[in-house]
Amino acid sequence: MNYLFPMRNTVRKLAMCFPTVIVSGRSREKVYSFVKLTELYYAGSHGMDIKGPEQNSKYNKKTQSLLCQPATEFLPVISEVYTKLVEKTKSIQGAKVENNKFCASVHFRCVDENKWSDLAHLVRSVLKNYPKLMLTQGRKVFEIRPIIKWDKGKALEFLLESLGYENCTDVFPIYIGDDRTDEDAFKILRDKRQGLGILVSKYAKETNASYSLREPDEVMDFLERLVEWKRLTSGE
């Protein structure tokens, strides 16, 4: 956890050079309470809750009040499912259910591997009564999300359009992620042939990303190099 404070400073410097977004499966409020940088765009709940920066900069004057919540109608049902999942998974030691506002998560990182299939069965037994919700799997987590045409890739498209960068030949978006759900954003950049995706993983795997970094320290070094490049090319 020693890298968190330096990484926070690096991201702050990055946001002063480029429009910077944090996209997460967790709720936007939880992510902000953890990061606490007012210069950033935050896209929580897998991009279903997007808000522009609270602090003005030369890059966000037009998008400071930006807010996008395409799954608002699902808030009551997500809350209901969360409550049922908490009750249903009590018998599985180590399982943690999280309410991420527009989606819910069941983490099984601390669950005995022999119990993973039992947990999956319990989660599916709850969801069978909710045909408008879907179940996906990330890194040792089950994700419960509304069935709408929205994901991290759609969130990326929305942000590029809102910033006026869609189809711009002089703009190079970079998306860095380590989760299976980030593949939607990697695919958008690859299909558009605009910018690139970077997968963070210690192991080689099939991906829509163009490049990879192995760990957070390498990500921080890459971001620092971007900041330095900006300073050198802009004469700051």
Side-chain angles (χ1 to χ4, degrees):
M1 300 294 283
N2 292 332
Y3 71 87
L4 292 179
F5 184 72
M7 178 66 88
R8 186 170 178 270
N9 286 336
T10 296
V11 172
R12 177 188 278 121
K13 288 186 289 184
L14 187 74
M16 301 308 293
C17 297
F18 309 98
T20 304
V21 189
I22 290 184
V23 186
S24 174
R26 288 189 162 86
S27 73
R28 175 170 53 82
E29 292 84 358
K30 287 179 184 176
V31 178
Y32 179 79
S33 69
F34 181 68
V35 180
K36 294 181 180 177
L37 291 176
T38 57
E39 303 92 341
L40 305 181
Y41 295 79
Y42 290 89
S45 302
H46 295 285
M48 289 183 284
D49 188 7
I50 303 172
K51 191 174 187 301
E54 296 180 9
Q55 184 173 315
N56 264 326
S57 83
K58 58 184 176 182
Y59 297 108
N60 63 43
K61 290 177 182 177
K62 294 181 180 179
T63 55
Q64 188 178 8
S65 59
L66 177 69
L67 184 66
C68 177
Q69 296 177 329
T72 303
E73 64 182 285
F74 290 93
L75 283 173
V77 71
I78 290 294
S79 180
E80 182 180 311
V81 166
Y82 164 75
T83 301
K84 290 186 177 181
L85 285 170
V86 169
E87 184 62 33
K88 199 79 171 180
T89 60
K90 278 183 178 179
S91 60
I92 306 293
Q93 186 175 357
K96 179 185 176 184
V97 185
E98 188 175 13
N99 187 340
N100 291 314
K101 193 171 182 176
F102 293 97
C103 58
S105 305
V106 181
H107 300 271
F108 55 92
R109 185 176 299 277
C110 298
V111 174
D112 188 302
E113 190 170 347
N114 294 323
K115 294 288 185 179
W116 288 0
S117 60
D118 293 340
L119 180 62
H121 176 73
L122 290 174
V123 172
R124 291 191 183 96
S125 71
V126 172
L127 289 186
K128 68 181 181 180
N129 297 318
Y130 297 91
K132 292 187 177 181
L133 298 181
M134 65 177 177
L135 178 66
T136 59
Q137 186 174 335
R139 291 193 305 161
K140 295 186 179 179
V141 60
F142 296 117
E143 304 277 6
I144 296 89
R145 292 189 275 170
I147 299 178
I148 61 172
K149 291 183 179 179
W150 199 268
D151 50 39
K152 290 180 179 179
K154 292 290 186 183
L156 175 58
E157 286 186 306
F158 171 81
L159 284 160
L160 289 173
E161 183 179 351
S162 298
L163 285 161
Y165 295 156
E166 188 180 29
N167 300 320
C168 286
T169 56
D170 60 344
V171 173
F172 196 83
I174 297 174
Y175 188 103
I176 304 173
D178 65 356
D179 193 72
R180 187 180 301 177
T181 57
D182 293 309
E183 290 295 328
D184 295 313
F186 295 153
K187 188 175 187 301
I188 288 294
L189 294 179
R190 172 164 283 187
D191 290 349
K192 285 179 173 288
R193 297 183 179 180
Q194 180 186 17
L196 58 86
I198 300 176
L199 173 70
V200 183
S201 175
K202 291 182 179 179
Y203 310 102
K205 59 178 70 174
E206 186 176 343
T207 179
N208 289 305
S210 303
Y211 297 94
S212 66
L213 294 168
R214 288 174 295 183
E215 54 193 23
D217 282 342
E218 289 190 355
V219 174
M220 186 165 65
D221 181 60
F222 174 74
L223 299 180
E224 287 283 359
R225 288 168 183 259
L226 282 180
V227 172
E228 185 62 23
W229 173 84
K230 178 66 174 178
R231 287 175 177 167
L232 289 172
T233 56
S234 63
E236 296 178 4

